[in-house]
Amino acid sequence: MALQVKKFGGSSVATPEKIKRIAERVLAQKAPDDRIVIVVSAMGDSTDEMMSLARQCTHRVYGRELDMLLTTGEQTTIALLAMTLMELGHPAISLTGPQAGIQTDRAYGKGRILAIQPDRVFEALDAGNIVVVAGFQGLADNGDLITLGRGGSDTTAVALAGALQADVCEIFTDVEGVYSADPRVVPNAFKMQEITYGEMLEMARLGAGVMQPRAVEMGSRYHVPIHVRSTFADVGGTMIQEAYTVEDQGNRICGVAHDTNVTKVAVLGVDNRPGTAHMIFDCLAKSGIDVDMIVQSIRESDDSRTDIVFTISETDLPQAQEALAAFTGEEALPTILFTSHVAKISVVGAGMLGTPGVAARMFGALGAAGINIQIISTSEISISCLIDEADVEKAVACIHDTFL
Ligand code: ADP
Ligand code: ASP
Ligand code: MG
């Protein structure tokens, strides 16, 4: 008897026919005493479509109302899948995130799961049901619905698997696993058999959209083995786990990630005195905006002024503009420029810790391809460069060819 959590993403549940196909596959592979929880996303591109509807009403971000709207996407899918499973002869019940006991903080649009009270899920499983849970949503202590950030159904699935102490969490998607680069951009990228939580977290954080970073963090914290695999082909995918089973796998560059959801913010000519950087970043932090790459430049001709350049998610641009507008025109912060035609490209691998020259090889590959680097940042297991968005596909391909 196994307790399995299976998550199906938007493209896997895009139509009633696809929903029927996954219901048939789950039932065909289910042993009589298996206990199954299915987490689903909104159908197809419906989250994007709802975002566009909201934009037609306002260009401001009304977080509470946007979450009220977006949570309906997953709610549609759970009801349709539960009906389909029952139609095929198996008892099933749909539960929203709040009904499944998923409690979050109050951060509209980027909520974090604080706790899960899975009593109702267990009761429904004990009654013989396949339990279908809405991904991407939970309930805050003030009674509001909260979404977990784009791709958040992955986090629902892994967190539920942890809370239920499931044997495995399977992430079914439209590719066959985790690849050495986005297979839609690099056709010769290869599927990895396995990857550690640490490397997967870095790949995801740096833009590999196949898993939401929070989901990988949850998997690592609660020791949930995650199997990323294809919805459409019945073949093995990639295991995300604590350590490699093949010893030499730890000593290499594992992949290339890219992220086009990036905006560069240049705050030019600010007072070069203690407290200026704090003033800028504190105001962004108070608006819940994560800042990523940061450089402060030195002006040889006028050391009373300096330029601070950093990146944020493009999704946070309206809030950042609003937060920083308070400073524009102030003597302390004369000019703020926002540029969204940029992308971040990164190499990831625990192997780079003991291998000199990785940065030089990466910059060499970009230089040979005529791609200019705007900002560089590093972590223990990654090196990232900010480049022009128009160059991103060429950059991923040439860096992949260099290292993999
Ligand atoms: P789902 O709707 O199932 O959650 P997503 O679109 O969120 O699917 O994630 C799957 C997509 O992630 C793939 O179609 C692929 O283009 C993209 N992707 C980006 N980087 C990678 C990678 N390294 N390996 C596999 N897929 C990747
Ligand atoms: N429907 C949400 C999104 O499109 C959550 C998810 O698919 O994981 O981001
Ligand atoms: Mg996803």
Side-chain angles (χ1 to χ4, degrees):
M1 185 175 85
L3 201 163
Q4 302 162 13
V5 174
K6 297 170 185 282
K7 178 256 170 178
F8 292 89
S11 51
S12 310
V13 293
T15 61
E17 293 71 34
K18 287 188 170 170
I19 290 178
K20 186 165 180 215
R21 231 187 299 156
I22 65 171
E24 285 169 343
R25 179 168 169 194
V26 168
L27 293 179
Q29 294 180 347
K30 179 183 177 301
D33 55 359
D34 281 346
R35 290 150 72 79
I36 294 180
V37 175
I38 305 180
V39 173
V40 282
S41 294
M43 294 168 74
D45 295 329
S46 58
T47 305
D48 289 328
E49 284 156 16
M50 284 186 275
M51 300 268 281
S52 144
L53 278 178
R55 270 195 299 274
Q56 289 171 50
C57 295
T58 172
H59 282 281
R60 297 191 65 159
V61 179
Y62 293 97
R64 181 183 183 280
E65 305 313 322
L66 196 57
D67 278 1
M68 188 67 92
L69 174 68
L70 297 184
T71 47
T72 64
E74 274 67 16
Q75 202 169 324
T76 303
T77 324
I78 53 171
L80 294 177
L81 178 55
M83 287 176 205
T84 308
L85 287 162
M86 288 191 279
E87 191 65 13
L88 293 170
H90 199 289
I93 184 171
S94 63
L95 297 177
T96 63
Q99 287 173 334
I102 297 174
Q103 300 167 2
T104 65
D105 60 16
R106 297 184 188 179
Y108 302 115
K110 46 173 85 165
R112 293 167 81 93
I113 296 178
L114 298 178
I116 299 184
Q117 305 288 346
D119 309 15
R120 192 153 175 202
V121 178
F122 277 127
E123 276 165 31
L125 287 171
D126 290 344
N129 291 291
I130 290 180
V131 181
V132 187
V133 177
F136 181 52
Q137 56 176 257
L139 192 69
D141 61 355
N142 63 353
D144 278 356
L145 287 166
I146 302 288
T147 62
L148 307 180
R150 297 310 302 268
S153 299
D154 296 334
T155 303
T156 305
V158 178
L160 256 181
L164 300 170
Q165 298 193 314
D167 297 281
V168 67
C169 179
E170 292 174 295
I171 304 287
F172 289 90
T173 186
D174 57 4
V175 287
E176 284 186 14
V178 179
Y179 283 69
S180 51
D182 186 339
R184 297 191 194 285
V185 175
V186 181
N188 60 337
F190 54 85
K191 180 168 76 179
M192 303 178 209
Q193 300 302 312
E194 50 182 4
I195 182 169
T196 58
Y197 293 119
E199 285 179 326
M200 186 67 232
L201 178 58
E202 197 68 351
M203 288 280 286
R205 201 178 66 75
L206 295 170
V210 63
M211 284 292 291
Q212 202 200 35
R214 289 278 298 141
V216 186
E217 252 171 46
M218 288 272 180
S220 169
R221 187 170 327 147
Y222 298 108
H223 309 285
V224 179
I226 303 169
H227 187 183
V228 181
R229 56 189 310 192
S230 167
T231 301
F232 309 109
D234 193 7
V235 291
T238 304
M239 285 305 303
I240 308 174
Q241 58 204 14
E242 225 87 47
Y244 286 104
T245 52
V246 179
E247 221 174 294
D248 67 350
Q249 288 291 302
N251 291 321
R252 62 189 172 110
I253 299 301
C254 74
V256 182
H258 70 279
D259 189 358
T260 53
N261 178 26
V262 182
T263 291
K264 180 172 76 171
V265 185
V267 185
L268 303 176
V270 292
D271 277 349
N272 192 9
R273 60 171 167 77
T276 305
H278 174 258
M279 180 177 72
I280 299 166
F281 294 115
D282 188 50
C283 127
L284 293 164
K286 285 191 173 126
S287 301
I289 297 165
D290 271 334
V291 173
D292 184 19
M293 305 166 120
I294 304 176
V295 286
Q296 178 168 342
S297 61
I298 299 157
R299 294 183 167 192
E300 269 184 29
S301 55
D302 174 11
D303 67 2
S304 69
R305 302 256 150 203
T306 183
D307 303 325
I308 299 180
V309 182
F310 55 91
T311 62
I312 57 171
S313 283
E314 195 172 335
T315 329
D316 287 335
L317 179 56
Q319 290 98 319
Q321 281 172 320
E322 210 168 294
L324 292 172
F327 295 123
T328 322
E330 270 194 22
E331 215 189 309
L333 291 186
T335 311
I336 306 179
L337 303 175
F338 298 90
T339 316
S340 290
H341 308 291
V342 288
K344 187 169 63 172
I345 167 112
S346 311
V347 282
V348 176
M352 75 176 62
L353 266 172
T355 316
V358 176
R361 282 173 74 199
M362 179 181 187
F363 306 154
L366 290 172
I371 298 168
N372 191 40
I373 301 170
Q374 302 181 22
I375 306 181
I376 298 164
S377 68
T378 60
S379 82
E380 278 197 343
I381 61 163
S382 67
I383 300 169
S384 303
C385 297
L386 193 75
I387 59 171
D388 198 301
E389 188 171 352
D391 289 329
V392 73
E393 297 202 358
K394 194 163 66 164
V396 187
C398 77
I399 292 175
H400 190 268
D401 282 353
T402 301
F403 288 100
L404 294 153

